[in-house]
């Protein structure tokens, strides 16, 4: 579910095809097309991960909380770029107090987002970056910002559910797979 920057257009493709093929399984780190949950030790996050490239530093400056008049625009963008399911989770995160959604904005347009405490308390994701902004450090900047906020709120751990890009989560957050965690929170969910 939480593959940085992977676009999906419909809720029906909630369990993405990119994790089910042998090619993408190798590239994304999925094991036999199965997306497990991952555990992130927030208390062990470094203050500043090393090394930060110039691109990543620039990407971190793009990340912020959306203001009220942007909420509907953000939800509509998430639905268009990713899925109705992710838009639903974005809506929940925007209704939380404090807001638990961060957006990356460039040239007055959203280019990425991350939620936490939307699917369930302590869960980070979904996270997505539009195709034109991928591989620029935006996904890493979004994930780090969300995890720092969760740590500041008192969480010791975060769960990334049904991770489609485990290598990304390992690299950026030191995440480790949770054995036997599939389908996790998503068992029995409504499909549309």
């Amino acid at each position: 579910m939480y593959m940085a920057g992977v676009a999906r257009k419909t809720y029906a493709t909630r369990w993405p095809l990119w994790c089910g093929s042998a090619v993408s399984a190798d590239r994304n780190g999925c094991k036999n097309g199965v997306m497990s949950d991952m555990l992130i030790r927030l208390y062990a996050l470094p203050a500043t991960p090393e090394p930060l490239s110039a691109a990543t530093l620039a990407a971190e400056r793009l990340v912020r909380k959306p203001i009220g008049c942007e909420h509907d625009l953000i939800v509509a963008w998430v639905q268009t770029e990713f899925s109705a399911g992710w838009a639903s989770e974005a809506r929940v995160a925007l209704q939380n107090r404090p807001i638990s959604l961060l957006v990356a904005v460039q040239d007055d347009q959203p280019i990425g987002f991350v939620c936490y405490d939307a699917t369930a308390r302590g869960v980070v994701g979904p996270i997505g970056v539009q195709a034109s902004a991928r591989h620029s450090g935006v996904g890493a900047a979004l994930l780090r910002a969300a995890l720092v906020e969760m740590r500041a709120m008192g969480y010791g751990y975060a769960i990334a559910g049904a991770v489609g890009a485990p290598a990304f989560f390992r690299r950026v957050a030191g995440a480790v797979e949770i054995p036997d965690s599939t389908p996790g929170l998503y068992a029995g969910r409504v499909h549309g």
Side-chain angles (χ1 to χ4, degrees):
M1 174 175 128
Y2 300 108
M3 180 159 182
V6 172
R8 291 171 295 149
K9 295 295 181 187
T10 64
Y11 197 77
T13 59
R14 183 68 170 164
W15 299 104
L17 299 175
W18 42 256
C19 202
S21 71
V23 172
S24 49
D26 291 340
R27 185 181 72 231
N28 297 318
C30 298
K31 294 181 180 175
N32 301 318
V34 174
M35 296 183 296
S36 296
D37 294 346
M38 296 187 85
L39 181 69
I40 301 166
R41 296 177 307 148
L42 297 177
Y43 60 85
L45 288 177
T48 305
E50 296 295 333
L52 288 181
S53 68
T56 299
L57 288 171
E60 287 181 350
R61 288 191 289 274
L62 303 175
V63 176
R64 64 174 175 82
K65 296 253 181 153
I67 60 173
C69 62
E70 297 173 317
H71 289 196
D72 288 342
L73 297 170
I74 299 294
V75 171
W77 175 80
V78 170
Q79 181 157 350
T80 299
E81 287 290 321
F82 303 102
S83 72
W86 280 17
S88 179
E89 290 175 286
R91 189 175 303 105
V92 169
L94 288 165
Q95 292 170 349
N96 286 340
R97 293 296 177 260
I99 291 170
S100 59
L101 180 143
L102 295 153
V103 63
V105 177
Q106 187 172 45
D107 298 326
D108 299 327
Q109 297 296 314
I111 60 170
F113 82 107
V114 64
C115 300
Y116 62 92
D117 286 355
T119 304
R121 295 246 184 243
V123 173
V124 63
I127 179 171
V129 176
Q130 74 181 27
S132 63
R134 293 180 193 150
H135 308 291
S136 66
V138 171
L142 284 161
L143 180 57
R144 269 197 300 277
L147 297 175
V148 166
E149 286 196 8
M150 292 177 76
R151 182 174 56 192
M153 292 174 65
Y155 288 104
Y157 297 90
I159 303 293
V163 174
F168 169 78
F169 279 84
R170 279 192 290 275
R171 178 177 54 82
V172 174
V176 295
E177 184 177 339
I178 301 172
D180 302 320
S181 60
T182 301
L185 290 170
Y186 300 98
R189 71 177 179 82
V190 175
H191 295 270

